[in-house]
Amino acid sequence: MVAGELVQEHLRADTGAPDDITVVRKSPQPEGARRPADTDSCSDPACGGPDQHRDPEELEVPPDERAAMLPGAGGGEAEEAGGRAPETRLYRWRFAVLAVFSLYSLVNAFQWIHYSIITNVFTRYYGVTSDKVDWLSIVYMVAYIPLIFPATWLLDRRGLRLTALLGAGLNCAGAWLKCASVSPDRFGVTVTAQVICSVAQVFILGLPSRIASVWFGPREVSTACATAVLGNQLGTAIGFLLPPVLVPNTSEDLERTGRNISIMFYGTAAVSTGLFVLTVIVIKDKPPLPPSQAQAVLLGVPLDDYSYKQSIINLVKNKAFVLLLISYGILTGSFYSVSTLLNQIILHYFQGQELNAGRIGLTLVLAGMVGSILCGLWLDHTKTYKVTTLVVYLLSFVGMLVFTFTLDLKNIYLVFFTAGVLGFFMTGYLPLGFEFGVEITYPESEGTSSGLLNAFAQIFGIIFTLIQGRLTTAFGPLAGNVFLSAWILLGVVLTALIKSDLKRHNVNMATESKALQARPADHHGDRPAGHQANGVQLEPSLGVSRETSL
């Protein structure tokens, strides 16, 4: 009932646009100087230019493509009348960018999990213990933590294209090196290859929210982010499904096992190579015109005014974001732990069911993909970030309990169902955390906020995997799953404490109501008035959209 009241309150807030939001930008020109008007390469109405025979106030443009209502930075009435507002536009190329990124993210996720789901096969082939095979998945989490800061700095300073090329290129290199590791005495080579793939992941996981914000309009940004995350989830799903089929348990014939592993590795390398070529062709830093007013505002900030260090400081000082960091890390880390140890959990209750263990993992992730898309569509429609995140988190906790306490019933079909319920909510939460983080930290870089969220997910993932693995070995899967359930309950409480302020959404809403104003920052005098982040200052009034905390 409380959640319902929150939804109604938020929807009432959205029916009327914010009273005013002042966006203050540092200007490289003197305060009295006039800012040149933005111009389009085409003035013909057929290609999106203004109609010279109609009054500008009468022009009707689709909401996601309407011109930004920002006056000139110098700020006189005459200037406002003569200047032209920044223009926004959506390009079809955005779908190609999203598709290529999702596909090479898919291959990287496949390479993360394809060892763990057939742990027993690789332990026999390489003659190592199961905990060493587990580290082939854990290394993804370990590599992410120290490398996320240079990776997000590179994304902010050098742009989307270079970061994407590094991700796709390293993913391709690691895949080919794995092909040279197919020999019982080359476990060190396969470890090196997996380390390279784990470094590639650092340049992949933080991109969904950046791609969504830079290329997609305000009414599709959450769905685009969910779709980008979906590619990674689909890779995990295929990683659960294909390895048990391609590399069946033939412990009595190591030569045959080696041939099967080669087929899997060479196929992965070929696909990775094709996707790297597509990345070179398709991925661009940004479209010629911004897709939303929130992006148009940020384009006015000179790159020299951006400080990566100050961005990190601003995020750490944001109490709502710190709570989200911890809660996101707990739930996503729990998902990583369950995915890594799923083979051991299922085989404890169902001996010789390696193929079904992979299918259960597939069910878990496919259900999560459906949850991701539905949550993305729901957010684009309602903008109820806080309520949606809290409800999905709570249902993830319930799903974890149901999955845990039905395993010993020895009904494999019931496990498929409970794993699907768990995956629908737990995996479906991933894009919610990204988008919620972008909303409450705007105008900070999406790559930085997403990178920190992923870093905490990796930290919790390492800790949870190691502890749950020990508990599972010593006391059985029940102890390990109960351990995770207790932490997820803590995450529910932390999520409920988050105070939601939808800053990016407020800017877009203000634009639609023509209530957005821009003026040059006074560098010192303007700072106390509102939140300043790298040259962009937001001053929300009491009329902005806000989701209250419980």
Side-chain angles (χ1 to χ4, degrees), residues 70-267:
L70 283 176
E77 289 183 3
E79 180 180 320
E80 291 183 16
R84 185 180 166 194
E87 190 175 348
T88 62
R89 180 180 174 186
L90 295 179
Y91 295 85
R92 292 181 181 178
W93 195 259
R94 69 191 188 277
F95 297 113
V97 173
L98 182 62
V100 171
F101 168 78
S102 298
L103 287 173
Y104 78 73
S105 177
L106 178 155
V107 176
N108 183 260
F110 174 82
Q111 297 197 79
W112 163 57
I113 205 65
H114 67 180
Y115 288 107
S116 293
I117 198 58
I118 49 175
T119 299
N120 55 326
V121 174
F122 281 105
T123 54
R124 291 191 183 97
Y125 183 73
Y126 286 114
V128 295
T129 58
S130 60
D131 61 321
K132 290 186 178 179
V133 176
D134 289 342
W135 270 99
L136 292 174
S137 294
I138 297 174
V139 69
Y140 262 60
M141 310 175 204
V142 174
Y144 194 90
I145 297 168
L147 295 178
I148 183 55
F149 295 105
T152 53
W153 178 88
L154 185 71
L155 175 62
D156 293 335
R157 299 294 297 188
R158 300 300 299 273
L160 177 64
R161 177 176 170 81
L162 179 60
T163 307
L165 288 175
L166 283 173
L170 289 171
N171 195 52
C172 178
W176 280 108
L177 186 56
K178 287 182 182 180
C179 298
S181 71
V182 184
S183 176
D185 60 347
R186 296 180 186 173
F187 184 72
V189 178
T190 207
V191 170
T192 303
Q194 190 72 339
V195 169
I196 294 175
C197 292
S198 69
V199 175
Q201 175 214 215
V202 180
F203 299 100
I204 294 174
L205 287 187
L207 295 189
S209 57
R210 169 60 68 92
I211 290 174
S213 296
V214 171
W215 283 92
F216 289 82
R219 297 190 179 182
E220 58 186 13
V221 63
S222 296
T223 304
C225 182
T227 304
V229 174
L230 182 145
N232 199 267
Q233 296 172 358
L234 182 58
T236 304
I238 297 174
F240 281 127
L241 177 65
L242 281 185
V245 176
L246 297 176
V247 190
N249 187 5
T250 56
S251 57
E252 71 285 349
D253 188 351
L254 287 183
E255 185 177 347
R256 181 182 175 189
T257 301
R259 288 197 301 269
N260 293 333
I261 293 175
S262 292
I263 292 173
M264 181 172 70
F265 284 170
Y266 274 103

Side-chain angles (χ1 to χ4, degrees), residues 210-476:
R210 169 60 68 92
I211 290 174
S213 296
V214 171
W215 283 92
F216 289 82
R219 297 190 179 182
E220 58 186 13
V221 63
S222 296
T223 304
C225 182
T227 304
V229 174
L230 182 145
N232 199 267
Q233 296 172 358
L234 182 58
T236 304
I238 297 174
F240 281 127
L241 177 65
L242 281 185
V245 176
L246 297 176
V247 190
N249 187 5
T250 56
S251 57
E252 71 285 349
D253 188 351
L254 287 183
E255 185 177 347
R256 181 182 175 189
T257 301
R259 288 197 301 269
N260 293 333
I261 293 175
S262 292
I263 292 173
M264 181 172 70
F265 284 170
Y266 274 103
T268 305
V271 174
S272 298
T273 303
L275 290 173
F276 176 68
V277 173
L278 286 176
T279 302
V280 174
I281 298 172
V282 172
I283 302 293
K284 300 178 181 179
D285 283 330
K286 58 186 177 182
L289 292 175
S292 66
Q293 181 55 38
Q295 284 297 308
V297 169
L298 296 180
L299 289 178
V301 182
L303 186 60
D304 291 340
D305 287 346
Y306 174 78
S307 168
Y308 181 73
K309 178 181 177 181
Q310 185 60 45
S311 180
I312 295 293
I313 293 174
N314 290 340
L315 292 176
V316 171
K317 289 182 178 179
N318 188 326
K319 295 180 180 179
F321 183 67
V322 171
L323 289 173
L324 181 63
L325 275 180
I326 300 173
S327 60
Y328 182 89
I330 290 173
L331 191 60
T332 309
S334 298
F335 168 71
Y336 291 160
S337 183
V338 171
S339 300
T340 301
L341 301 172
L342 186 63
N343 177 269
Q344 300 173 42
I345 293 173
I346 299 303
L347 294 185
H348 178 86
Y349 294 101
F350 304 93
Q351 295 293 328
Q353 295 285 338
E354 292 90 355
L355 194 57
N356 273 330
R359 290 169 177 169
I360 291 171
L362 174 67
T363 302
L364 186 147
V365 179
L366 287 180
M369 291 166 57
V370 176
S372 295
I373 293 299
L374 292 180
C375 288
L377 292 170
W378 174 258
L379 286 185
D380 280 331
H381 180 68
T382 66
K383 303 299 180 183
T384 54
Y385 292 86
K386 164 68 177 292
V387 175
T388 305
T389 301
L390 180 58
V391 170
V392 171
Y393 211 123
L394 180 60
L395 292 176
S396 297
F397 170 69
V398 174
M400 188 68 194
L401 290 179
V402 173
F403 175 75
T404 298
F405 291 102
T406 56
L407 281 171
D408 58 357
L409 296 180
K410 302 296 180 68
N411 187 330
I412 192 70
Y413 300 106
L414 181 61
V415 176
F416 272 94
F417 175 77
T418 56
V421 173
L422 176 63
F424 182 88
F425 296 111
M426 183 177 281
T427 316
Y429 170 82
L430 302 182
L432 291 180
F434 279 155
E435 283 297 284
F436 196 17
V438 171
E439 285 290 339
I440 63 179
T441 61
Y442 178 87
E444 301 299 340
S445 168
E446 304 91 348
T448 305
S449 61
S450 298
L452 287 176
L453 287 172
N454 278 320
F456 270 69
Q458 311 301 330
I459 292 172
F460 279 99
I462 294 169
I463 296 172
F464 288 169
T465 302
L466 294 176
I467 296 178
Q468 188 186 12
R470 290 291 182 88
L471 291 174
T472 300
T473 302
F475 305 104

Side-chain angles (χ1 to χ4, degrees), residues 499-511:
K499 191 173 184 179
S500 174
D501 187 2
L502 308 182
K503 298 175 183 177
R504 180 180 64 178
H505 174 61
N506 289 337
V507 171
N508 288 322
M509 286 294 294
T511 302

